[in-house]
């Protein structure tokens, strides 16, 4: 049986995970790629970071995004949410504060979910920035919907 998730269930799925699939448009073509994220429940935003590249160029032109997060145990037992929102970059000290919030938040989720005690951002993110500091961004959550299938 497939059922719609309640808002609180969708937000729980979003906050209890740290990898999602971000989708955006660039030159009339859709792109989807995995990102590491942290869901800031209090501010209802998703925080992420990236180096300068295709994704950032595209999001600076069209800031409308969607992100999918799922937990799949089997074909008959899964949950999935879709977040729709808008992209915005943090700047200066606000970027540093939010990168720290991202790092601490993801480490906490990994600790709760996987029982791993990580110390540094580099332990869960393989990105190394040779061209300077990362671009720290938020996705303002405008809508969130979810579905679940459970085999009885």
């Amino acid at each position: 049986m497939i059922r719609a998730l309640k808002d609180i269930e969708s937000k729980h799925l979003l906050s209890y995970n740290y990898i999602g699939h971000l989708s955006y448009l660039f030159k009339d073509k859709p792109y989807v790629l995995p990102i590491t994220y942290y869901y800031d429940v209090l501010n209802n935003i998703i925080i992420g970071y990236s180096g300068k590249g295709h994704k950032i160029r595209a999001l600076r032109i069209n800031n409308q995004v969607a992100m999918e997060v799922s937990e799949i145990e089997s074909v008959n037992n899964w949950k999935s949410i879709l977040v729709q929102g808008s992209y915005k970059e943090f700047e200066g000290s606000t970027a540093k504060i939010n990168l720290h919030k991202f790092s601490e938040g993801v480490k906490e989720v990994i600790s709760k979910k996987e029982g791993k005690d990580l110390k540094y951002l580099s332990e869960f993110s393989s990105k190394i920035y040779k061209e300077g500091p990362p671009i720290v961004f938020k996705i303002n959550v405008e809508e969130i919907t979810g579905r679940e299938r459970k085999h009885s």
Side-chain angles (χ1 to χ4, degrees), residues 92-110:
S93 61
T94 306
K96 288 180 184 175
I97 290 166
N98 280 284
L99 183 59
H100 180 73
K101 187 185 285 188
F102 165 88
S103 176
E104 293 302 309
V106 171
K107 286 191 287 189
E108 185 178 327
V109 171
I110 291 172

Side-chain angles (χ1 to χ4, degrees), residues 3-140:
R3 73 169 186 92
L5 294 177
K6 296 175 182 163
D7 190 55
I8 194 166
E9 293 173 305
S10 293
K11 287 182 177 178
H12 179 265
L13 185 69
L14 184 59
S15 64
Y16 194 66
N17 286 282
Y18 60 95
I19 296 176
H21 290 90
L22 183 71
S23 66
Y24 57 92
L25 291 172
F26 186 63
K27 296 186 179 178
D28 296 325
K29 288 185 180 179
Y31 291 84
V32 178
L33 50 89
I35 66 164
T36 304
Y37 74 89
Y38 170 66
Y39 177 53
D40 179 345
V41 177
L42 293 176
N43 295 304
N44 198 33
I45 60 171
I46 293 166
I47 302 172
Y49 77 100
S50 182
K52 291 179 182 173
H54 180 270
K55 172 179 64 212
I56 297 301
R57 281 192 311 275
L59 292 170
R60 285 176 173 169
I61 294 167
N62 181 349
N63 73 339
Q64 295 302 296
V65 299
M67 190 173 87
E68 181 272 345
V69 177
S70 56
E71 291 179 350
I72 302 169
E73 291 182 30
S74 71
V75 70
N76 291 316
N77 192 1
W78 53 264
K79 293 179 184 177
S80 178
I81 59 168
L82 177 66
V83 175
Q84 293 181 310
S86 57
Y87 165 91
K88 185 169 188 203
E89 292 176 18
F90 291 112
E91 297 182 8
S93 61
T94 306
K96 288 180 184 175
I97 290 166
N98 280 284
L99 183 59
H100 180 73
K101 187 185 285 188
F102 165 88
S103 176
E104 293 302 309
V106 171
K107 286 191 287 189
E108 185 178 327
V109 171
I110 291 172
S111 175
K112 285 179 185 174
K113 189 170 186 169
E114 300 173 18
K116 296 178 185 172
D117 185 23
L118 305 176
K119 303 282 185 238
Y120 304 103
L121 184 66
S122 61
E123 292 182 71
F124 59 83
S125 180
S126 62
K127 295 178 182 177
I128 298 172
Y129 293 95
K130 295 175 182 157
E131 74 250 16
I135 294 160
V136 184
F137 62 86
K138 68 178 175 177
I139 296 169
N140 294 305

